[in-house]
Amino acid sequence: MGWDPEQIEEYCRSISDEVPQILTELDEYTHQHHHGATMISGAFQGRFLAMISRMLRPKIVLEVGTYTGYSALCFAEGLAEGGMVHTIDIDERLSDTHDKFIGQSIYKDQIKVHFGDAKQIIPTMEESLDLVFIDGAKKDYAAIFDMCLPKLRPGGVILADNVLWKGKVLGEKYDDATTLSIKAFNQKIHDNKEVNKLLLPIRDGLFWITKNKI
């Protein structure tokens, strides 16, 4: 008997850790007040991101694509003492939502939002990175990866979201610029010998990429 994937995900979520109240409220607020609310990580993926952060205990997290701040709050849950999440977004209109949720959270002093082009901001960062989340403009994934890999500590992790792109990466039917960019990025990661990689079929695809220790 087949099962609805959404039902499976809901069951998995229901027996996993509870979602913090602030994230539930942020999810609802995002759907009520922002266009493109499906971009939010949401309960299941959010718990997965928080679990990775708790496992790695990162000192420095870099996120490209803040949106309303859901995933940044998830990553903050696992920070090492004195750790920081640096998150970048191009859209300054999101700042009021960031103030409302990030600014009133227990992690408000551990999340710094940068507004601007990530390709210009990342080269100015001097910190060694422990965890990177790439979830911005799909056409920039390859460039962002190339900028972050040298700054990533050995054993550090890069996560890239939406790498299945609603299934459009399969076959040759879709040849729009975004799909081609994602397919090229996926192949680039596959071919890279400096990293271990595993593409997970979570939501819209999540690439787990770990920098070799040697």
Side-chain angles (χ1 to χ4, degrees):
M1 180 177 182
W3 295 98
D4 185 332
E6 292 185 3
Q7 291 178 315
I8 293 293
E9 181 175 310
E10 175 57 27
Y11 175 75
C12 292
R13 189 207 61 75
S14 70
I15 62 170
S16 300
D17 286 340
E18 290 188 11
V19 178
Q21 183 63 29
I22 190 173
L23 293 178
T24 299
E25 294 174 1
L26 175 54
D27 194 338
E28 294 173 354
Y29 185 90
T30 299
H31 281 82
Q32 291 170 1
H33 295 90
H34 290 278
H35 295 295
T38 55
M39 292 190 296
I40 200 168
S41 291
F44 180 70
Q45 186 178 23
R47 291 305 83 209
F48 185 77
L49 299 179
M51 183 71 78
I52 294 174
S53 185
R54 291 178 185 277
M55 180 184 70
L56 293 175
R57 301 292 293 167
K59 188 78 171 180
I60 299 294
V61 177
L62 172 63
E63 175 183 57
V64 178
T66 313
Y67 191 41
T68 55
Y70 192 103
S71 49
L73 287 165
C74 292
F75 288 124
E77 294 179 35
L79 287 172
E81 184 176 355
M84 181 70 66
V85 176
H86 291 274
T87 180
I88 304 171
D89 205 281
I90 198 72
D91 190 354
E92 294 189 36
R93 294 173 298 180
L94 294 164
S95 61
D96 287 345
T97 299
H98 298 161
D99 291 343
K100 182 177 180 66
F101 289 94
I102 294 176
Q104 296 181 27
S105 76
I106 60 174
Y107 305 114
K108 63 182 180 180
D109 296 325
Q110 296 174 282
I111 299 175
K112 180 174 178 56
V113 181
H114 306 259
F115 287 107
D117 186 341
K119 299 191 301 300
Q120 296 179 7
I121 294 172
I122 292 172
T124 69
M125 299 182 66
E126 299 180 356
E127 296 93 339
S128 175
L129 305 175
D130 301 299
L131 176 59
V132 177
F133 186 46
I134 305 177
D135 192 24
K138 310 313 169 192
K139 64 181 178 59
D140 292 336
Y141 270 32
I144 298 299
F145 173 83
D146 287 341
M147 290 179 179
C148 290
L149 188 61
K151 297 177 179 290
L152 190 69
R153 67 165 175 81
V157 171
I158 295 176
L159 301 171
D161 202 11
N162 303 116
V163 290
L164 291 179
W165 201 234
K166 302 177 179 65
K168 292 182 180 180
V169 295
L170 301 176
E172 305 299 327
K173 179 179 178 180
Y174 299 98
D175 60 357
D176 58 280
T178 302
T179 301
L180 293 177
S181 293
I182 291 292
K183 291 178 71 172
F185 172 76
N186 290 345
Q187 189 63 46
K188 176 185 180 72
I189 301 304
H190 174 268
D191 295 339
N192 191 303
K193 304 303 182 185
E194 296 183 64
V195 298
N196 297 117
K197 72 286 293 186
L198 179 65
L199 202 164
L200 300 168
I202 294 176
R203 292 190 75 214
D204 196 24
L206 187 69
F207 226 146
W208 184 322
I209 305 160
T210 304
K211 186 173 183 178
N212 295 338
K213 293 185 177 181
I214 299 177

Short mmCIF file of all heavy atoms in Angstrom, two decimals, residues 72-106:
data_model
loop_
_atom_site.label_atom_id
_atom_site.label_comp_id
_atom_site.label_asym_id
_atom_site.label_seq_id
_atom_site.Cartn_x
_atom_site.Cartn_y
_atom_site.Cartn_z
N ALA A 72 17.95 30.45 10.11
CA ALA A 72 18.98 31.06 10.95
C ALA A 72 18.72 30.75 12.42
O ALA A 72 19.64 30.44 13.19
CB ALA A 72 19.03 32.56 10.72
N LEU A 73 17.46 30.83 12.83
CA LEU A 73 17.10 30.51 14.21
C LEU A 73 17.34 29.03 14.51
O LEU A 73 17.76 28.67 15.62
CB LEU A 73 15.64 30.86 14.47
CG LEU A 73 15.34 32.36 14.59
CD1 LEU A 73 13.84 32.64 14.48
CD2 LEU A 73 15.87 32.91 15.92
N CYS A 74 17.10 28.17 13.52
CA CYS A 74 17.38 26.73 13.70
C CYS A 74 18.87 26.49 13.91
O CYS A 74 19.27 25.74 14.82
CB CYS A 74 16.87 25.95 12.50
SG CYS A 74 15.07 25.91 12.33
N PHE A 75 19.71 27.09 13.08
CA PHE A 75 21.15 26.90 13.21
C PHE A 75 21.67 27.43 14.55
O PHE A 75 22.59 26.87 15.14
CB PHE A 75 21.89 27.58 12.06
CG PHE A 75 21.74 26.88 10.74
CD1 PHE A 75 21.25 27.54 9.63
CD2 PHE A 75 22.10 25.55 10.60
CE1 PHE A 75 21.12 26.90 8.40
CE2 PHE A 75 21.97 24.89 9.38
CZ PHE A 75 21.47 25.57 8.29
N ALA A 76 21.07 28.51 15.03
CA ALA A 76 21.52 29.11 16.29
C ALA A 76 21.34 28.16 17.47
O ALA A 76 22.05 28.27 18.48
CB ALA A 76 20.77 30.42 16.55
N GLU A 77 20.42 27.21 17.35
CA GLU A 77 20.17 26.28 18.45
C GLU A 77 21.39 25.43 18.80
O GLU A 77 21.54 24.98 19.94
CB GLU A 77 19.01 25.35 18.09
CG GLU A 77 17.66 26.03 17.97
CD GLU A 77 16.55 25.06 17.60
OE1 GLU A 77 16.60 23.90 18.06
OE2 GLU A 77 15.64 25.46 16.84
N GLY A 78 22.28 25.19 17.82
CA GLY A 78 23.41 24.30 18.07
C GLY A 78 24.75 24.99 18.18
O GLY A 78 25.78 24.32 18.24
N LEU A 79 24.77 26.31 18.21
CA LEU A 79 26.03 27.04 18.24
C LEU A 79 26.89 26.68 19.45
O LEU A 79 26.37 26.46 20.55
CB LEU A 79 25.79 28.54 18.25
CG LEU A 79 25.31 29.19 16.95
CD1 LEU A 79 24.92 30.64 17.21
CD2 LEU A 79 26.40 29.11 15.87
N ALA A 80 28.20 26.65 19.24
CA ALA A 80 29.13 26.54 20.35
C ALA A 80 29.06 27.82 21.18
O ALA A 80 28.55 28.86 20.71
CB ALA A 80 30.55 26.32 19.83
N GLU A 81 29.56 27.76 22.39
CA GLU A 81 29.57 28.96 23.24
C GLU A 81 30.31 30.09 22.54
O GLU A 81 31.42 29.91 22.02
CB GLU A 81 30.24 28.65 24.57
CG GLU A 81 30.20 29.81 25.55
CD GLU A 81 30.79 29.46 26.90
OE1 GLU A 81 31.15 28.28 27.10
OE2 GLU A 81 30.90 30.36 27.75
N GLY A 82 29.68 31.24 22.46
CA GLY A 82 30.28 32.38 21.78
C GLY A 82 30.14 32.33 20.27
O GLY A 82 30.70 33.18 19.57
N GLY A 83 29.38 31.36 19.75
CA GLY A 83 29.23 31.20 18.31
C GLY A 83 28.31 32.24 17.70
O GLY A 83 27.58 32.96 18.39
N MET A 84 28.36 32.31 16.36
CA MET A 84 27.60 33.33 15.64
C MET A 84 27.09 32.78 14.31
O MET A 84 27.79 32.05 13.62
CB MET A 84 28.49 34.55 15.37
CG MET A 84 27.81 35.69 14.65
SD MET A 84 26.57 36.55 15.66
CE MET A 84 27.61 37.26 16.94
N VAL A 85 25.85 33.13 13.98
CA VAL A 85 25.29 32.87 12.66
C VAL A 85 25.35 34.17 11.87
O VAL A 85 24.77 35.18 12.28
CB VAL A 85 23.83 32.39 12.73
CG1 VAL A 85 23.25 32.23 11.32
CG2 VAL A 85 23.72 31.08 13.49
N HIS A 86 26.07 34.17 10.76
CA HIS A 86 26.07 35.29 9.83
C HIS A 86 25.15 34.90 8.68
O HIS A 86 25.37 33.89 8.01
CB HIS A 86 27.48 35.56 9.30
CG HIS A 86 28.42 36.10 10.33
ND1 HIS A 86 28.51 37.44 10.60
CD2 HIS A 86 29.29 35.47 11.16
CE1 HIS A 86 29.39 37.63 11.55
NE2 HIS A 86 29.89 36.44 11.92
N THR A 87 24.13 35.68 8.46
CA THR A 87 23.15 35.35 7.42
C THR A 87 22.99 36.54 6.47
O THR A 87 22.94 37.69 6.91
CB THR A 87 21.81 34.92 8.05
OG1 THR A 87 20.89 34.60 7.01
CG2 THR A 87 21.23 35.97 8.97
N ILE A 88 22.94 36.24 5.19
CA ILE A 88 22.96 37.28 4.15
C ILE A 88 21.68 37.22 3.33
O ILE A 88 21.27 36.15 2.89
CB ILE A 88 24.17 37.09 3.21
CG1 ILE A 88 25.48 37.07 4.01
CG2 ILE A 88 24.21 38.20 2.15
CD1 ILE A 88 26.69 36.67 3.18
N ASP A 89 21.09 38.39 3.09
CA ASP A 89 19.94 38.47 2.19
C ASP A 89 20.01 39.76 1.40
O ASP A 89 20.53 40.78 1.89
CB ASP A 89 18.61 38.40 2.95
CG ASP A 89 17.48 37.88 2.07
OD1 ASP A 89 16.95 38.66 1.25
OD2 ASP A 89 17.16 36.68 2.18
N ILE A 90 19.47 39.74 0.20
CA ILE A 90 19.52 40.89 -0.69
C ILE A 90 18.38 41.87 -0.42
O ILE A 90 18.45 43.04 -0.79
CB ILE A 90 19.49 40.44 -2.17
CG1 ILE A 90 19.96 41.55 -3.11
CG2 ILE A 90 18.12 39.90 -2.55
CD1 ILE A 90 21.44 41.82 -3.06
N ASP A 91 17.32 41.40 0.26
CA ASP A 91 16.07 42.15 0.38
C ASP A 91 15.95 42.81 1.76
O ASP A 91 15.56 42.17 2.74
CB ASP A 91 14.88 41.22 0.13
CG ASP A 91 13.57 41.97 0.00
OD1 ASP A 91 13.55 43.20 0.22
OD2 ASP A 91 12.55 41.32 -0.33
N GLU A 92 16.24 44.10 1.83
CA GLU A 92 16.18 44.82 3.10
C GLU A 92 14.75 44.99 3.60
O GLU A 92 14.54 45.34 4.78
CB GLU A 92 16.85 46.18 2.96
CG GLU A 92 18.34 46.10 2.70
CD GLU A 92 19.02 47.45 2.79
OE1 GLU A 92 18.62 48.27 3.63
OE2 GLU A 92 19.97 47.68 2.00
N ARG A 93 13.75 44.74 2.76
CA ARG A 93 12.36 44.86 3.20
C ARG A 93 12.01 43.80 4.24
O ARG A 93 10.99 43.91 4.92
CB ARG A 93 11.42 44.74 1.99
CG ARG A 93 11.53 45.89 1.00
CD ARG A 93 10.70 45.61 -0.24
NE ARG A 93 11.16 44.42 -0.94
CZ ARG A 93 10.60 43.96 -2.06
NH1 ARG A 93 9.54 44.56 -2.57
NH2 ARG A 93 11.09 42.88 -2.66
N LEU A 94 12.86 42.80 4.38
CA LEU A 94 12.63 41.74 5.36
C LEU A 94 13.06 42.14 6.77
O LEU A 94 12.80 41.40 7.72
CB LEU A 94 13.39 40.47 4.95
CG LEU A 94 12.92 39.79 3.67
CD1 LEU A 94 13.97 38.80 3.18
CD2 LEU A 94 11.59 39.09 3.89
N SER A 95 13.69 43.29 6.92
CA SER A 95 14.28 43.66 8.21
C SER A 95 13.26 43.77 9.32
O SER A 95 13.55 43.44 10.48
CB SER A 95 15.07 44.96 8.08
OG SER A 95 14.23 46.02 7.68
N ASP A 96 12.05 44.23 9.02
CA ASP A 96 11.02 44.34 10.06
C ASP A 96 10.66 42.98 10.63
O ASP A 96 10.47 42.83 11.85
CB ASP A 96 9.77 45.02 9.52
CG ASP A 96 9.96 46.51 9.28
OD1 ASP A 96 10.95 47.07 9.80
OD2 ASP A 96 9.13 47.12 8.58
N THR A 97 10.57 41.97 9.75
CA THR A 97 10.28 40.62 10.22
C THR A 97 11.45 40.07 11.03
O THR A 97 11.27 39.42 12.05
CB THR A 97 9.97 39.69 9.03
OG1 THR A 97 8.81 40.20 8.35
CG2 THR A 97 9.68 38.27 9.51
N HIS A 98 12.66 40.36 10.60
CA HIS A 98 13.84 39.93 11.37
C HIS A 98 13.81 40.54 12.76
O HIS A 98 14.10 39.86 13.76
CB HIS A 98 15.13 40.34 10.65
CG HIS A 98 15.29 39.72 9.31
ND1 HIS A 98 16.14 40.24 8.35
CD2 HIS A 98 14.71 38.63 8.73
CE1 HIS A 98 16.07 39.50 7.26
NE2 HIS A 98 15.22 38.51 7.46
N ASP A 99 13.50 41.83 12.83
CA ASP A 99 13.44 42.50 14.14
C ASP A 99 12.37 41.88 15.02
O ASP A 99 12.56 41.73 16.24
CB ASP A 99 13.15 43.99 13.96
CG ASP A 99 14.30 44.75 13.31
OD1 ASP A 99 15.43 44.21 13.30
OD2 ASP A 99 14.07 45.86 12.82
N LYS A 100 11.26 41.52 14.41
CA LYS A 100 10.11 40.99 15.17
C LYS A 100 10.40 39.60 15.74
O LYS A 100 9.97 39.27 16.86
CB LYS A 100 8.88 40.92 14.26
CG LYS A 100 7.60 40.43 14.93
CD LYS A 100 6.44 40.48 13.96
CE LYS A 100 5.15 39.99 14.60
NZ LYS A 100 4.69 40.88 15.68
N PHE A 101 11.17 38.79 15.02
CA PHE A 101 11.39 37.41 15.46
C PHE A 101 12.83 37.17 15.91
O PHE A 101 13.06 36.79 17.06
CB PHE A 101 10.97 36.44 14.36
CG PHE A 101 9.48 36.39 14.19
CD1 PHE A 101 8.84 37.20 13.25
CD2 PHE A 101 8.71 35.57 14.99
CE1 PHE A 101 7.46 37.18 13.10
CE2 PHE A 101 7.32 35.54 14.85
CZ PHE A 101 6.70 36.35 13.92
N ILE A 102 13.81 37.39 15.04
CA ILE A 102 15.20 37.21 15.47
C ILE A 102 15.52 38.16 16.61
O ILE A 102 16.13 37.78 17.61
CB ILE A 102 16.17 37.44 14.28
CG1 ILE A 102 15.99 36.36 13.22
CG2 ILE A 102 17.62 37.46 14.78
CD1 ILE A 102 16.83 36.58 11.97
N GLY A 103 15.08 39.41 16.46
CA GLY A 103 15.39 40.43 17.45
C GLY A 103 14.77 40.21 18.81
O GLY A 103 15.20 40.81 19.80
N GLN A 104 13.76 39.35 18.90
CA GLN A 104 13.11 39.08 20.18
C GLN A 104 13.37 37.65 20.66
O GLN A 104 12.78 37.21 21.64
CB GLN A 104 11.61 39.33 20.06
CG GLN A 104 11.25 40.78 19.76
CD GLN A 104 9.76 41.02 19.67
OE1 GLN A 104 8.98 40.31 20.29
NE2 GLN A 104 9.36 42.01 18.90
N SER A 105 14.27 36.95 19.95
CA SER A 105 14.57 35.57 20.33
C SER A 105 15.72 35.54 21.33
O SER A 105 16.43 36.54 21.54
CB SER A 105 14.95 34.75 19.09
OG SER A 105 16.27 35.07 18.68
N ILE A 106 15.93 34.38 21.93
CA ILE A 106 17.05 34.23 22.86
C ILE A 106 18.39 34.23 22.13
O ILE A 106 19.45 34.31 22.76
CB ILE A 106 16.91 32.94 23.70
CG1 ILE A 106 16.90 31.70 22.79
CG2 ILE A 106 15.66 33.00 24.56
CD1 ILE A 106 16.90 30.38 23.57
#
